[in-house]
């Protein structure tokens, strides 16, 4: 990548983060009455639902804390993080230590999920906020929530399984993936031998059970020992998910200085783009079947914002780490499509949900699933890796 | 409608039912090894998943029994119905009397749903099959399953609610709707004062809690006494669902000879078409927000086969009952769009899932949600009402 292109992208990332996405959420999403964020925002930022997704509360706390820790110590970012942190600690936790999934605007519990994802985002929210605020109670809460996740993951006990386990046992890529990412965040502010053990196990499962070199695919669901399942669930690939995992793996390869792990990460990235890229209309499919058979998900061919933000950062990092032009070419392809179709020049931020052909399907900017997380994270991490690329070129 | 058009449609409905849809399922869907149907069929009829949706087993039994009872006593239809009935009785029921939601090909239980819909389809399957076969045990099973549904509906007890009821109580249009339809089927073969009581309550709820003349809408979710909910869930309209309810109401109006009820049914039909019709691309939206705000469902603007089959029959019936050209005009609009976009001239049957613009999104012919039910039912009922229209014209 030329120095001119690097500097152009660096400026685009910094400006989109600081002058578009972050102000959109600060201006429209902060709940000045009850704390936390109002995550359901229409195209123009108006609120269309006041129920609050707890995992987006957690992700917002992580994002605003991260900006404060890594960009600059702006008071409004710390205030936003604190407001969210206080909302979570007041209303996020059930008496059994687990977290609620959805609460009302004023924090009354509406839903609890059978899955542990809210708790993992609770962990990284508390960890990053503890660094921003110096609040040791937040760090203790991060540790406790993480322990609860690990305990329940290792011995599910009271968690209701989706499928009757006497008949069929399956496991999901999402769990080792999120445990890897959560532990990577927590160990930045804390130290415990448990963290290495959890990451070791997560790496083992991702590399040996979910990644299949023969199929050139990272699958979403396999049997307990990585057996391929002969079903739509077993053939399902979520390219954006696999691409996100690929940069978690790249981070781990850097942390461990492990070239073999880096190679696996790059495989996961390349397989997912080759399988997931829509050769007819461009963009990355939401779900694909490894054998081209029908999928259960009606939204399978939609183009969502987050697989594209994950691909942008993963490809920049892959190009930075290897210098290989393959990743640069893929980067420019994804960048061109994403920056043409997702941005809303009228009201800012990105649309989240496009039809297969790239036209807008939903005007929303925030929902129970879309909040200030994937987009600002990719912009911040992309900006930082672009700085490194520039510095390498200059030196 | 001219006699020529009626006869043309009559022939199209009869032929599509008997020479296209029913053979597609008989040739591809019957499981000759384990009984019941293989409901996950690709475009060409090949099986892409052997797991079986229990409610589609039930719906298939109903359909094949109905064909045997109403069209002609073909042995292959009775055999298909018996195969499904035996699969259901062997593998469909849990020890508590409730039914499983998904089982393996050989009948091992995979999932049980928190909802009671499988049991309502189990009821109509057993009822219609008892008529076809003369099997009194099937009728007893229909009665027992129906009682279980009613008992659990009136006192949910062990059913897990989706939302924590201490915080928010809601109720869904789907329940009175399905109880109305289920009771209408069961009372054709059985007599019990309970049936009138259930239908009375269902009518009261649909007419007074879910239908809102001020908004000209039949809502999917309201408060316990019909309160409008200020949320995407509360604003959500499912036009196909409301249109299906409208013909259940028309049937009830005929049964009770109740003109006021007929008027309400026609209102529900007209409101749903006026709100649900896509003025840009044609076709009926899957979900809409009553105020045009964003919906939670990513697939909101897709065009599914079943809202269109329900609309075709409801509009034919409305036109037959009233003679009003309004319904004829709507009929021709829906017919033109549906018969242009859904049929697969190469392999038969209809595609189930189109993009907003009418292009095919998924090639599947059967899935966990699409089986031999909406399409053959609308074709059979449409054929029968077209016969009445023809006879009225001729007399």
């Amino acid at each position: 990548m030329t120095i001119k292109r690097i500097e152009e992208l660096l400026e685009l990332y910094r400006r989109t983060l600081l002058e578009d996405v972050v102000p959109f959420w600060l201006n429209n999403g902060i709940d000045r009455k009850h704390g936390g964020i109002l995550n359901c925002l229409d195209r123009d930022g108006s609120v269309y639902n006041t129920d609050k997704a707890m995992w987006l509360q957690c992700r917002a706390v992580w994002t605003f804390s991260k900006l404060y820790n890594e960009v600059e110590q702006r008071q409004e970012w710390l205030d936003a993080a604190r407001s969210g942190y206080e909302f979570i600690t007041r209303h996020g936790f059930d008496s059994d230590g687990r977290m609620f999934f959805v609460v009302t605007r004023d924090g009354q519990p509406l839903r609890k999920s059978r899955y542990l994802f809210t708790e993992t985002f609770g962990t990284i929210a508390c960890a990053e906020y503890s660094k921003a605020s110096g609040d040791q109670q937040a760090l203790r809460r991060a540790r406790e929530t993480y322990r609860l996740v690990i305990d329940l993951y290792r011995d599910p006990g009271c968690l209701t399984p989706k499928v009757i386990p006497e008949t069929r046992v399956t496991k999901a890529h999402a769990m080792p993936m999120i445990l890897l990412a959560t532990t990577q965040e927590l160990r930045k502010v804390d130290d415990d031998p448990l963290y290495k053990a959890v990451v070791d196990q997560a790496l083992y499962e991702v590399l040996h059970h979910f990644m299949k070199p023969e199929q050139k695919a990272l699958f979403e669901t396999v049997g307990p020992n990585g057996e391929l399942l002969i079903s739509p669930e077993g053939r399902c690939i979520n390219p954006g998910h696999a691409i996100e995992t690929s940069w978690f793996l790249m981070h781990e390869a850097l942390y461990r200085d492990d070239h073999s792990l880096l190679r696996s990460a790059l495989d996961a990235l390349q397989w997912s783009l080759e399988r997931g890229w829509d050769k007819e209309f461009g963009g990355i499919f939401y779900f694909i079947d490894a054998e081209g058979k029908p999928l259960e998900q009606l939204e399978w061919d939609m183009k969502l914002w987050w697989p594209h933000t994950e691909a942008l950062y993963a490809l920049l990092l892959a190009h930075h780490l290897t210098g290989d032009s393959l990743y640069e070419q893929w980067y420019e392809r994804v960048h061109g499509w994403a920056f043409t179709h997702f941005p809303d020049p009228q009201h800012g931020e990105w649309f989240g949900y496009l039809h297969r052909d790239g036209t807008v399907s939903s005007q929303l900017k925030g929902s129970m699933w879309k909040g200030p997380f994937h987009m600002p994270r990719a912009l911040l991490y992309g900006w930082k890796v672009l700085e490194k690329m520039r510095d390498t070129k200059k030196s």
Side-chain angles (χ1 to χ4, degrees), chain A:
Chain A
M1 203 173 262
T2 65
I3 186 90
K4 182 162 170 287
R5 179 61 174 153
I6 291 169
E7 285 183 337
E8 183 182 82
L9 288 175
L10 207 161
E11 178 57 16
L12 175 66
Y13 275 56
R14 200 198 55 77
R15 214 179 53 230
T16 307
L17 178 67
L18 299 184
E19 295 171 21
D20 178 354
V21 175
V22 171
F24 185 91
W25 284 95
L26 281 176
N27 294 338
N28 301 300
I30 303 294
D31 185 350
R32 310 214 179 261
K33 189 167 172 198
H34 294 281
I37 59 159
L38 290 154
N39 44 271
C40 291
L41 303 182
D42 207 344
R43 181 177 180 185
D44 62 0
S46 59
V47 176
Y48 65 88
N49 186 9
T50 57
D51 290 347
K52 289 170 172 164
M54 192 49 71
W55 72 349
L56 291 185
Q57 306 301 313
C58 298
R59 286 169 158 199
V61 170
W62 180 88
T63 298
F64 289 117
S65 299
K66 198 78 176 174
L67 289 168
Y68 184 85
N69 292 331
E70 310 250 321
V71 180
E72 61 180 278
Q73 299 196 342
R74 282 200 204 168
Q75 190 60 40
E76 63 174 348
W77 292 345
L78 186 60
D79 290 346
R82 180 179 296 115
S83 164
Y85 175 73
E86 288 173 356
F87 189 85
I88 294 167
T89 53
R90 268 196 219 112
H91 308 296
F93 290 86
D94 199 357
S95 54
D96 60 1
R98 289 208 55 208
M99 297 187 74
F100 294 112
F101 187 60
V102 181
V103 301
T104 59
R105 183 175 177 183
D106 62 358
Q108 298 171 73
L110 279 171
R111 289 191 205 172
K112 202 167 160 181
S113 169
R114 61 151 71 87
Y115 302 109
L116 295 166
F117 301 109
T118 307
E119 288 82 355
T120 63
F121 294 116
T123 301
I124 65 167
C126 293
E128 197 67 31
Y129 177 72
S130 77
K131 189 176 168 190
S133 64
D135 183 337
Q136 289 306 301
Q137 175 62 23
L139 181 56
R140 277 192 294 276
R141 198 178 278 275
R143 276 191 211 121
E144 280 166 20
T145 309
Y146 180 83
R147 295 287 170 131
L148 182 90
V149 171
I150 300 300
D151 289 347
L152 284 169
Y153 180 57
R154 291 179 170 176
D155 180 17
C158 62
L159 297 180
T160 321
K162 196 172 166 197
V163 172
I164 294 169
E166 290 78 14
T167 306
R168 185 180 294 162
V169 182
T170 64
K171 65 177 184 182
H173 160 228
M175 275 312 293
M177 174 210 191
I178 204 72
L179 290 178
L180 171 60
T182 304
T183 312
Q184 286 174 333
E185 286 299 305
L186 186 53
R187 76 183 175 201
K188 288 178 194 166
V189 293
D190 195 37
D191 194 18
D192 191 314
L194 176 63
Y195 302 151
K196 181 169 183 303
V198 170
V199 172
D200 282 347
Q201 191 192 338
L203 290 178
Y204 181 81
E205 293 198 66
V206 171
L207 300 179
H208 297 285
H209 290 169
F210 294 96
M211 279 184 73
K212 302 288 179 192
E214 201 179 323
Q215 284 81 11
K216 295 195 182 224
L218 195 168
F219 288 97
E220 283 300 302
T221 313
V222 295
N225 298 302
E227 302 88 341
L228 286 174
L229 304 172
I230 315 291
S231 66
E233 188 182 34
R235 289 187 298 266
C236 181
I237 297 167
N238 180 328
H241 226 195
I243 289 167
E244 193 175 354
T245 291
S246 82
W247 70 253
F248 298 163
L249 295 176
M250 286 185 234
H251 282 200
E252 199 58 29
L254 285 174
Y255 183 81
R256 297 183 175 209
D257 193 20
D258 181 336
H259 274 64
S260 155
L261 181 55
L262 177 62
R263 191 59 256 165
S264 297
L266 296 169
D267 284 345
L269 175 60
Q270 193 178 340
W271 298 344
S272 306
L273 285 163
E274 284 174 359
R275 281 188 171 273
W277 185 257
D278 182 351
K279 289 170 188 68
E280 191 173 346
F281 292 99
I284 299 165
F285 287 120
Y286 190 12
F287 297 103
I288 48 173
D289 181 285
E291 298 175 15
K293 294 182 178 175
L295 286 142
E296 292 184 326
Q297 298 90 340
L298 300 190
E299 65 276 23
W300 75 275
D301 65 359
M302 289 179 72
K303 309 292 165 61
L304 275 63
W305 86 105
W306 67 262
H308 296 80
T309 61
E310 299 314 300
L312 291 173
Y313 172 59
L315 286 163
L316 281 178
L317 183 59
H319 183 52
H320 171 60
L321 295 178
T322 63
D324 192 332
S325 64
L326 173 76
Y327 305 112
E328 182 185 355
Q329 287 159 22
W330 267 113
Y331 177 82
E332 292 296 353
R333 189 175 300 157
V334 177
H335 179 99
W337 202 90
F339 277 86
T340 303
H341 293 90
F342 286 107
D344 177 6
Q346 195 175 339
H347 294 283
E349 243 273 17
W350 276 17
F351 294 115
Y353 303 93
L354 312 180
H355 298 116
R356 180 173 178 183
D357 66 5
T359 55
V360 176
S361 167
S362 173
Q363 307 255 332
L364 68 80
K365 297 291 170 53
S367 68
M368 288 298 172
W369 314 98
K370 186 176 190 287
F373 184 65
H374 284 286
M375 181 70 176
R377 185 178 67 175
L379 291 168
L380 175 63
Y381 284 14
W383 165 13
K384 294 299 159 189
V385 79
L386 284 159
E387 278 185 349
K388 283 185 197 150
M389 287 163 74
R390 182 192 59 190
D391 297 346
T392 311
K393 287 270 179 194
K394 282 189 172 166
S395 64

